[in-house]
Amino acid sequence: MTKKIKIMSVFGTRPEAIKMAPLVKELAAREEFESICCLTGQHREMLDSVMEIFKLSGDYDLNIMQKQQTLSSITTRTLLGMDEVIEQAKPDMILVHGDTSTTFAGALAAFYHKIPVGHVEAGLRTYDKYSPFPEEMNRTLVSDIAALHFSPTKANSENLRRESVQGEGFITGNTVIDAMKYTVRDGFTFQTAKLNELDYVNRRLIVVTCHRRENYGEPMENIMQAIRTVAEQHPDVDIVYPVHLSPVVRECASRNLSGVENIHLIDPLDVEEMHNLMARSYLVMTDSGGLQEEAPAMGKPVLVLRRETERPEAVEAGTVKLAGVERETILRLANELLDDPAEYARMAKAVNPYGDGNACRRIADAIAWYFGKTAERPCDFNP
Ligand code: UD1
Ligand code: UDP
């Protein structure tokens, strides 16, 4: 029997887990690979929830999370923990995803051990070092380390080409669209009681999330105040906001938004509930990266609560608007979508610039090609 290629996927936060889960499953199903997972545990509860939904478990778990952890503590704890794991597991390749501190430290640990890195969701850029912070620098540094770059879109891959990044690049689509094949279902019933009490037929639902570090402080205060005003001005609307477990975010959300009848602050949802809730929404307001990819695929307009985005594709397609972090602008854009049916209709169309649900197959094919298991380079995703 020929030796299997040992692939170790390293991830630790909720979005990485959601986007890596279908890839881990694809690798495990193929005979040319042995697939193992090293969890950093940068997120504890939110990571475990994703693993449970996708019925996955980690082979290693660094369990690094601390309350109000600093960027340095995430990075150093991951780096030191991975030294030992790599010595033991001896993988042929390490996969990391996106732009978190787990991603950066995971890639750096692989580099120190001269293990080739595959970077999933490569080439997203704002070209502003401090926004998103620290993600822009994390993903840029990982591009210099990686041997294989799996870009969701052509524009992402062109960024890497312009930067003369070394290694092999592939356009694969985003694995989040693959993940949605597991989660979104007709007739889905919620376990979270609040979500079964809402009237999805006669009332409109806005789904809100907000957590980015560069929004901490004044921008987040502005965002929360805008959301409160939207709720107060539109009693016919329900706002559901599953609040991130970050203590900074929870304090800001509860101080600004508690006690408003049509704002429902709830704990983070598992990914099945979240995706099915978004599928029933009228509008999404968020600073999340993942939601900017998922909502357009469901035909839901998105107001992005940030100054810039590294995901311009859906903005160009017209389903996402950059609302910024000023109270008045956010309010005006939300009111426009709530009060002007023509404007709503212009934005509410399903577009899929981010993937066709086959990203994981393309990534696995590319890895097999890199290790000489097949002569054929996979075709690029072309929406
Ligand atoms: C991290 C990523 C960010 C990503 C986000 C997704 C970095 C620097 N940031 O930011 O890119 O968009 O995850 O959500 O990598 N906490 C819990 N339980 C959990 C998860 C978090 O208690 O399951 C709390 C802890 O107190 C932790 C804090 O949230 O210290 C912040 O978590 P952290 O991973 O440092 O930052 P995020 O804002 O989640
Ligand atoms: N998500 C979830 N439960 C929630 C909020 C978000 O499962 O309560 C999912 C969401 O659908 C998306 C991912 O988490 O797939 C996005 O994660 P997050 O916003 O934390 O990070 P980002 O994408 O901004 O890095």
Side-chain angles (χ1 to χ4, degrees), residues 102-264:
T102 284
T103 314
F104 167 58
L108 189 60
F111 171 68
Y112 287 163
H113 291 261
K114 297 196 175 150
I115 298 188
V117 169
H119 187 198
V120 182
E121 201 177 90
L124 280 69
R125 295 286 188 270
T126 59
Y127 294 107
D128 177 346
K129 209 178 268 186
Y130 290 103
S131 185
F133 174 83
E135 290 81 4
E136 177 72 4
M137 198 40 58
N138 283 344
R139 60 195 172 210
T140 306
L141 293 168
V142 173
S143 293
D144 275 343
I145 293 173
L148 301 184
H149 312 270
F150 304 113
S151 290
T153 70
K154 188 157 179 255
N156 303 151
S157 144
E158 278 169 0
N159 288 339
L160 297 178
R161 193 177 44 76
R162 265 201 315 277
E163 292 168 25
S164 305
V165 159
Q166 291 178 29
E168 291 286 341
F170 306 85
I171 306 173
T172 60
N174 198 308
T175 57
V176 78
I177 308 294
D178 300 33
M180 285 166 68
K181 291 199 293 196
Y182 288 89
T183 54
V184 183
R185 285 192 293 281
D186 288 339
F188 180 84
T189 42
F190 295 102
Q191 300 296 312
T192 303
K194 178 86 253 158
L195 303 183
N196 285 325
E197 290 162 16
L198 296 176
D199 179 350
Y200 298 96
V201 179
N202 300 305
R203 293 172 63 78
R204 292 176 297 178
L205 167 69
I206 302 179
V207 174
V208 168
T209 76
C210 186
H211 73 274
R212 306 219 73 85
R213 278 177 192 251
E214 70 274 11
N215 277 341
Y216 285 6
E218 195 185 324
M220 203 170 275
E221 298 290 331
N222 293 345
I223 290 168
M224 300 293 170
Q225 285 163 21
I227 288 162
R228 186 182 178 105
T229 311
V230 171
E232 286 167 349
Q233 291 181 355
H234 297 272
D236 61 319
V237 161
D238 280 307
I239 297 184
V240 174
Y241 177 2
V243 188
H244 192 288
L245 293 179
S246 156
V248 180
V249 177
R250 289 180 88 78
E251 188 279 324
C252 186
S254 106
R255 180 165 39 77
N256 283 288
L257 302 177
S258 301
V260 183
E261 205 182 339
N262 55 341
I263 297 183
H264 312 285

Side-chain angles (χ1 to χ4, degrees), residues 13-16 42-48 65-71 74 99-103 133-135 138 211-213 216 244-247 249 288-289:
T13 66
R14 171 173 66 192
E16 295 165 80
Q42 178 178 336
H43 286 173
R44 186 68 279 158
E45 300 86 345
M46 284 157 51
L47 171 68
D48 294 345
M65 196 187 86
Q66 294 171 316
K67 256 204 158 355
Q68 282 186 308
Q69 56 202 359
T70 63
L71 299 177
I74 306 170
D99 53 20
T100 70
S101 293
T102 284
T103 314
F133 174 83
E135 290 81 4
N138 283 344
H211 73 274
R212 306 219 73 85
R213 278 177 192 251
Y216 285 6
H244 192 288
L245 293 179
S246 156
V249 177
S288 157

Side-chain angles (χ1 to χ4, degrees), residues 13-16 18-19 43 46 49-50 99-100 135 176 209 211-212 242-244 267-272 274-275 278 286-291 293-294 306 311:
T13 66
R14 171 173 66 192
E16 295 165 80
I18 293 169
K19 290 169 164 180
H43 286 173
M46 284 157 51
S49 158
V50 180
D99 53 20
T100 70
E135 290 81 4
V176 78
T209 76
H211 73 274
R212 306 219 73 85
V243 188
H244 192 288
D267 281 334
L269 293 170
D270 75 40
V271 60
E272 270 189 326
M274 184 64 183
H275 284 177
M278 282 166 68
T286 188
D287 68 356
S288 157
L291 266 71
E293 297 151 348
E294 295 160 350
R306 291 172 54 180
R311 295 170 170 87

